[in-house]
Amino acid sequence: MAELEYAYGSEPYAVRLVGSSPTVRTMKKQPNLRIILLGGLGEVGRNMMLLEWQGKILICDMGFRMPEEDMPGIDYIVPNISYLKDKKKNILGVVFTHGHYDHIGAVPYLMEKIWHPGLEIYASPLTRGIILKRQGDFPNQPKLDIAEVRDGSKVKLGPFRVEFFRQNHNIPDNLGLFIETPIGNILHTSDFKFDPAPVNDLPTNFQKLKSFGRRKILLLMSDSTGAEENNHSLSEKTIEKNLEEIFKYSSGRIIAATFASLINRIQQIITLSEKYGRKVCVEGYSMKTNVEISKILGYLKIKKGTLVKAKELANYPDGKVTVLCTGAQGEGSAILMKIASREHPFIRLRKGDSVILSSSVIPGNERTVQMLKDDILRHGVKVFHYKMMDIHAGGHAQQDELREMIKIMRPKFFLPIHGQYSMLAAHTELAREMGLSERNALIAENGQIINLNPKKISIEKQKVPSNYVMVDGLGIGDVGDVVLRDRQMLAKDGMFVIVTVIDKTTGKVKGSPDIISRGFVYLRESKELLRETRKKVIEIVNRTTGSGGAVNWSYVKDEIRNKIGQFFYTKTQRRPMILPVVIEV
Amino acid sequence: MAELEYAYGSEPYAVRLVGSSPTVRTMKKQPNLRIILLGGLGEVGRNMMLLEWQGKILICDMGFRMPEEDMPGIDYIVPNISYLKDKKKNILGVVFTHGHYDHIGAVPYLMEKIWHPGLEIYASPLTRGIILKRQGDFPNQPKLDIAEVRDGSKVKLGPFRVEFFRQNHNIPDNLGLFIETPIGNILHTSDFKFDPAPVNDLPTNFQKLKSFGRRKILLLMSDSTGAEENNHSLSEKTIEKNLEEIFKYSSGRIIAATFASLINRIQQIITLSEKYGRKVCVEGYSMKTNVEISKILGYLKIKKGTLVKAKELANYPDGKVTVLCTGAQGEGSAILMKIASREHPFIRLRKGDSVILSSSVIPGNERTVQMLKDDILRHGVKVFHYKMMDIHAGGHAQQDELREMIKIMRPKFFLPIHGQYSMLAAHTELAREMGLSERNALIAENGQIINLNPKKISIEKQKVPSNYVMVDGLGIGDVGDVVLRDRQMLAKDGMFVIVTVIDKTTGKVKGSPDIISRGFVYLRESKELLRETRKKVIEIVNRTTGSGGAVNWSYVKDEIRNKIGQFFYTKTQRRPMILPVVIEV
């Protein structure tokens, strides 16, 4: 493993920066820059960062993440911004690095809560286009005024001066941030990789990066997503070469599925289709939208006549057709699944077709991708996926590139961002191997307040709220732990409502209790169980209400819940949620 | 890719076997052997196969599989044996290949349904021990009389003559089956790999395999689990070497987690612990049980004094302790999770500890394993897992070994067994590359009736039932599609019960409707929504019942369900299950 020792600048940093002698230094308390990550640490997605200097706040990115498996019904998880409550006017602006949803997806849910007339918003043209298009999908959202920035743009936001610079990723127009602050310079890499042969983009400008390095980096915040992967990320050139092999030897239709946001992969498929004389049919709402925006803004190069509609496909021989669609993750609602399950109005799989799954599998989706692959293979179709050959590259720097970034920036302090805890830990390990001390290379967690001054990086004991804010339909944050726990319980063993009508005068049950149950047992085949249950309920009620005097209804309900719960567990070893209703008439 | 052409025997097989001339052959209809796989095709687990000759049935293995992610509350899925109903007396016997739950796990759920006094059951000593121990965990299950078989044992079951032979896997005492049938010989590989240096076992006896090959194999049924993996499976020797590196350099405790059924890995950890002077504490019910059985039967070699109890660990320095436990898959109830979340009564993680996750990640478990890894790392502990170094080998032959098996057996027909459809397809592809024709190397699915005679292998149009039989608590098969769909719906958006009491004489609502809701919205913060809902319900009921005459209660309920459903969707974009109860008094 290559190790590198380096000195941060040529003289002690703090001394040079504050211009004070060592004696003075020890007497003055250094003012701190506060850095708070509301998401993206210990998780993949939900990236949002605050830089705060004497009350003035700069925001970087507002992303969402997908829910965990034990969060049924939840659409997304967005950052918790309660720390910003009552601080609206102190928010100077928001800068966006790139157009992926884990960096911009929370905008329609959160922006109106922090927006004020003085708020400045900056994004690259493509990022801006994607944010505005999505904002349009939310009818009640305000129109946003977003200023365009490009490689080399510089903007001043209160005490912060932000310089944007081009970084390779797998979506065009991705910008890293060089931020001058009153206590020193911060470099935020954005998601990045060093690709010697990127698609629709120039290779990394190492001269530019080195020039930042020479301007003294107090803190490097670097993308950790690939920190557990050895060596160097695959170049898009390799991917293109492998994809071309498939195009070269396929005589039937090619159905290529990838992420809608993977603009560069979409470009590759289109370019290869044009080269091999294939028409391209783009299917899936999100992919169509992204292709449209990218085309208009010039980030996708498509020849006139290449794109055709699905219903026109029948006019072309199989060998002249490419279908470009969503669904490489086995998403139930995506186009590829509809095609595989014969639900698509125009496209059916047939022998001779080749399906390309050009994406990695997001952890948690392995089973659904396997099922999808199996379903496609059952049609006698060839399937190409990333485990068979390199037809997908991630967008993230791997260990060699991460080392290179540290080497170029020679930061005094290091903070790994973006990724699961294991990725942050691996990235910190790299930084330490390269000479950063344990004290200077921290692992922080969401909501922690990181205090930074020229001499020290430290974490406050106090945290700001960073727990999950869940989006479910129109509700943002209204589904909390209670509702979620109930959903999990309902899913596991179902529920059982017992409605008992009680005669006010006698205290006895009138008629037979009504039972409504779902997800517990198949009622039609459980008549004996229901009969016994009704009998037990009547016994319980009559016993508890029968002694005369005022009836404690909550005691009656508790008795039903407990006794019937025990009865069910003995009979079935299941614990449905038991909900007694008692009506006095 | 190495390809091999081979001839099946030296003369046309069918001719030789039935001893008839070509002219006679065409005149006689060949009797068929029926082969039915009730599970294990297109899935991993639930292995169970039937061989049927003129009504007489031989069963091979009775395994279960784990539920899919969209099957909340389900414990296991077992084979559907309704085909065997009313055929009990025709079942000659059951032979088991090895002691993994995907081959024996369904015994306590299904055996009593097929058991009769004449049923013969055969298993190797360890497999037998595991089956009997598990049977003991089910108090109402009959004691089973299982005869022991070993490498070389031969048993005759009606028209079938089964010869058992040793095969390497990752549990000892695994037996392949050479089955002589009236129409020719079948070779069933069991799960297998060719390991030149196995643990507690001899390397594959290739001479023996070749001798089977020379006896003419009509049909080879071979394990497909590793058919998508290139090259040769890792040898346990390599694993042991890598594990030893960790033992050599760890000065703190070693906490090694693996599958409870991975007896060979357990042996390796124990052997290394003994070599490096560490005491071993085995934690977790299933692992303790398996260690106990294997030790008694001589399949685990443990020195006296090696094993210690968890509460005694404090008596030993960290460098002298190994904890061997379950939980490498992030299972919530397993020991490693308890240790990581500080719930274990005696063991807390601390800096200096090394945690070894010696297992691959079962598809679908990636997220939970990631969370577990993160939690362990947060304690400042080192984590070693299979992606970092080869500290786990699967138990299944990869492509080189599968080719070798086909080459040795030179079967006339080939049927891939055990695995997802993509694995079966890859395995068939291998067989075809090696010269088997498309007609002779089929891919079958669960429940299909495969007809085999010396001339032909074919699949009947008719299928036997093979759909999922789900085990949930004490219920076997009572949770079907309806209950499962309800659970999924309840999980997604919760449920909403509206109890309305109606005055029989006026047809109007009495009082205010009762509402019980779980998993939909947080009720305490939704008072306005509930108020509006109650109002709407009263309006609906009074309108629909108010016109005089006989009231159609199911119409009233439908109206409530539809109107309130629409109202909720407009307000929340959620669709809780709405359950109206109407009580007339």
Side-chain angles (χ1 to χ4, degrees), chain B residues 174-445:
Chain B
N174 174 46
L175 298 171
L177 312 170
F178 176 80
I179 308 170
E180 290 172 276
T181 82
I183 50 132
N185 300 329
I186 295 177
L187 194 124
H188 181 294
T189 62
S190 178
D191 287 3
F192 83 102
K193 60 174 172 176
F194 293 147
D195 192 339
V199 177
N200 275 2
D201 201 357
L202 296 166
T204 301
N205 184 346
F206 285 103
Q207 286 316 314
K208 179 76 157 271
L209 291 185
K210 282 175 188 162
S211 78
F212 290 133
R214 280 192 298 270
R215 287 161 74 185
K216 311 290 176 224
I217 305 297
L218 181 62
L219 173 67
L220 171 63
M221 304 175 83
S222 185
D223 173 18
S224 311
T225 319
E228 290 181 288
E229 309 295 329
N230 287 328
N231 309 327
H232 197 288
S233 65
L234 283 172
S235 168
E236 295 293 338
K237 200 77 206 166
T238 310
I239 307 307
E240 194 155 330
K241 227 178 70 191
N242 285 320
L243 286 173
E244 180 153 6
E245 289 298 298
I246 302 173
F247 275 79
K248 208 181 278 177
Y249 296 108
S250 293
S251 53
R253 294 178 305 178
I254 290 176
I255 292 140
T258 189
F259 297 112
S261 60
L262 214 53
I263 306 295
N264 295 355
R265 194 64 32 78
I266 293 172
Q267 177 71 72
Q268 288 167 327
I269 305 279
I270 291 174
T271 307
L272 284 168
S273 297
E274 289 173 341
K275 182 167 174 185
Y276 287 88
R278 289 175 182 263
K279 299 289 177 188
V280 178
C281 164
V282 179
E283 281 287 282
Y285 176 75
S286 53
M287 192 169 283
K288 275 183 179 163
T289 306
N290 283 350
V291 166
E292 197 186 327
I293 299 170
S294 308
K295 207 178 128 193
I296 292 169
L297 296 174
Y299 292 96
L300 266 181
K301 289 168 189 55
I302 310 176
K303 286 186 187 154
K304 220 180 147 181
T306 295
L307 299 182
V308 295
K309 295 209 171 81
K311 60 180 171 191
E312 298 166 4
L313 286 177
N315 304 335
Y316 301 94
D318 282 5
K320 297 291 165 202
V321 165
T322 299
V323 177
L324 186 53
C325 62
T326 54
Q329 293 296 311
E331 307 95 314
S333 54
I335 294 296
L336 187 57
M337 193 68 104
K338 282 189 188 149
I339 294 175
S341 59
R342 301 168 206 269
E343 283 165 31
H344 192 279
F346 303 109
I347 306 169
R348 292 274 177 284
L349 290 176
R350 50 178 174 258
K351 220 170 168 167
D353 289 346
S354 297
V355 172
I356 302 175
L357 303 175
S358 181
S359 77
S360 57
V361 177
I362 295 173
N365 289 0
E366 289 78 2
R367 285 293 307 158
T368 43
V369 172
Q370 176 69 54
M371 308 302 259
L372 173 69
K373 215 168 71 178
D374 287 355
D375 276 352
I376 296 170
L377 285 166
R378 283 189 172 97
H379 290 87
V381 167
K382 278 217 180 91
V383 176
F384 299 90
H385 55 90
Y386 82 109
K387 280 199 176 167
M388 295 166 62
M389 56 201 287
D390 291 330
I391 50 174
H392 174 72
H396 302 277
Q398 296 179 195
Q399 291 176 350
D400 284 355
E401 296 150 281
L402 295 174
R403 279 196 203 92
E404 181 72 13
M405 181 61 91
I406 296 171
K407 192 174 149 185
I408 293 171
M409 295 304 159
R410 297 181 304 147
K412 178 159 188 179
F413 301 113
F414 176 79
L415 189 73
I417 54 172
H418 303 170
Q420 295 292 147
Y421 194 89
S422 65
M423 299 164 187
L424 305 179
H427 202 177
T428 307
E429 193 60 34
L430 287 182
R432 289 179 185 166
E433 282 168 15
M434 294 185 69
L436 275 132
S437 71
E438 202 157 322
R439 266 195 294 177
N440 288 12
L442 294 180
I443 306 177
E445 301 245 30

Side-chain angles (χ1 to χ4, degrees), chain A residues 454-471:
Chain A
K455 287 162 57 186
K456 197 177 164 193
I457 189 165
S458 61
I459 292 173
E460 282 186 24
K461 276 195 183 149
Q462 203 74 9
K463 284 181 75 173
V464 314
S466 65
N467 52 313
Y468 288 163
V469 172
M470 290 177 266
V471 176

